[in-house]
Amino acid sequence: QVQLVQSGAEVKKPGASVKVSCKASGYTFTGYYMHWVRQAPGQGLEWMGWINPNSGGTNYAQKFQGRVTMTRDTSISTAYMELSRLRSDDTAVYYCARPRRPILTGYHRDFDYWGQGTLVTVSS
Amino acid sequence: QSVLTQPPSVSGAPGQRVTISCTGSSSNIGAGYDVHWYQQLPGTAPKLLIYGNSNRPSGVPDRFSGSKSGTSASLAITGLQAEDEADYYCQSYDSSLSEGVFGGGTKLTVL
């Protein structure tokens, strides 16, 4: 069965960086994009970007360009999202999400599997 | 301010029918991009409820249905049950932003 297991909660100071991992199992990791979505406390969902685990290609939301880096390690089927220059309003739960359809279909905009979420708290 | 606009809250009694709207523009829903819906129970990750405007993934009850017209989409829930109490989000793609976008979310209360 498909599983996305994320790393544990983090507490960071303003200006620091955080790297969240998402380990995939139960499917071919390189066959599906991986997206990242975040949710601030009591707020809605916010799309951050995606990585193509096969090629390493990425696409980031304009809001996060220059601060976010998405990478992957295919040998351990794990995707990473690193956010730098953290601010207090980056406090949120960060989710990885796998699209329903594989890379080969060229359509990857709806997500049928999600990680459990990683709470990142930014506080001085 | 979300690109897709949803009502902050809706409510209904058990057994009733409720609808949740998702209003976009000519650069997203109106441009023909698909709308997807997610259900998020408190403290859990979102769950795909409707994909491609009106399709239900396996395991989603047929009490949930989706539709799309023009620059808007709707999620309908019939035979409301207590366990439907959750937050609901619509999602699409915006060509002017070249990004995926979510609605602000709607909290459904079962009275």
Side-chain angles (χ1 to χ4, degrees):
Chain A
Q1 72 285 17
V2 174
Q3 279 193 304
L4 301 176
V5 179
Q6 298 183 222
S7 48
E10 303 260 15
V11 179
K12 296 292 183 180
K13 293 194 182 303
S17 297
V18 69
K19 190 171 186 177
V20 178
S21 68
C22 171
K23 182 170 177 58
S25 62
Y27 72 98
T28 302
F29 178 65
T30 53
Y32 292 78
Y33 288 89
M34 189 69 78
H35 290 242
W36 290 86
V37 176
R38 78 175 187 179
Q39 185 172 36
Q43 303 301 308
L45 302 172
E46 183 173 32
W47 180 80
M48 299 182 69
W50 56 253
I51 182 169
N52 178 333
N54 188 46
S55 66
T58 55
N59 182 41
Y60 305 139
Q62 292 174 17
K63 175 177 180 177
F64 300 103
Q65 296 224 4
R67 283 209 305 143
V68 70
T69 305
M70 296 178 187
T71 57
R72 90 291 189 213
D73 185 338
T74 58
S75 69
I76 56 172
S77 299
T78 299
Y80 302 92
M81 186 286 300
E82 184 171 19
L83 190 61
S84 63
R85 302 194 299 279
L86 290 169
R87 306 184 294 256
S88 58
D89 61 359
D90 290 319
T91 294
V93 175
Y94 290 77
Y95 293 101
C96 57
R98 196 207 78 166
R100 181 176 52 87
R101 299 180 70 177
I103 291 174
L104 286 177
T105 66
Y107 188 87
H108 56 102
R109 307 224 174 266
D110 52 302
F111 315 130
D112 60 350
Y113 288 97
W114 295 67
Q116 82 276 20
T118 297
L119 175 62
V120 175
T121 303
V122 183
S123 173
S124 55
Chain B
Q1 189 95 7
S2 301
V3 172
L4 304 178
T5 301
Q6 297 180 234
S9 63
V10 298
S11 62
Q16 283 190 333
R17 178 181 186 269
V18 296
T19 61
I20 299 172
S21 61
C22 175
T23 303
S25 68
S26 58
S27 61
N28 41 69
I29 299 175
Y33 293 105
D34 283 345
V35 177
H36 319 292
W37 291 90
Y38 298 87
Q39 177 192 61
Q40 187 177 34
L41 299 171
T44 69
K47 170 190 171 185
L48 183 63
L49 204 60
I50 297 287
Y51 67 89
N53 306 315
S54 59
N55 302 289
R56 284 186 309 277
S58 174
V60 173
D62 59 7
R63 301 186 297 106
F64 296 90
S65 63
S67 63
K68 172 186 155 182
S69 178
T71 59
S72 295
S74 289
L75 173 70
I77 310 171
T78 59
L80 209 54
Q81 299 180 3
E83 56 260 37
D84 298 333
E85 191 160 286
D87 294 324
Y88 293 83
Y89 294 90
C90 60
Q91 178 205 15
S92 187
Y93 178 80
D94 191 281
S95 58
S96 64
L97 298 173
S98 297
E99 296 178 5
V101 289
F102 286 96
T106 299
K107 181 174 181 59
L108 168 62
T109 300
V110 180
L111 302 171

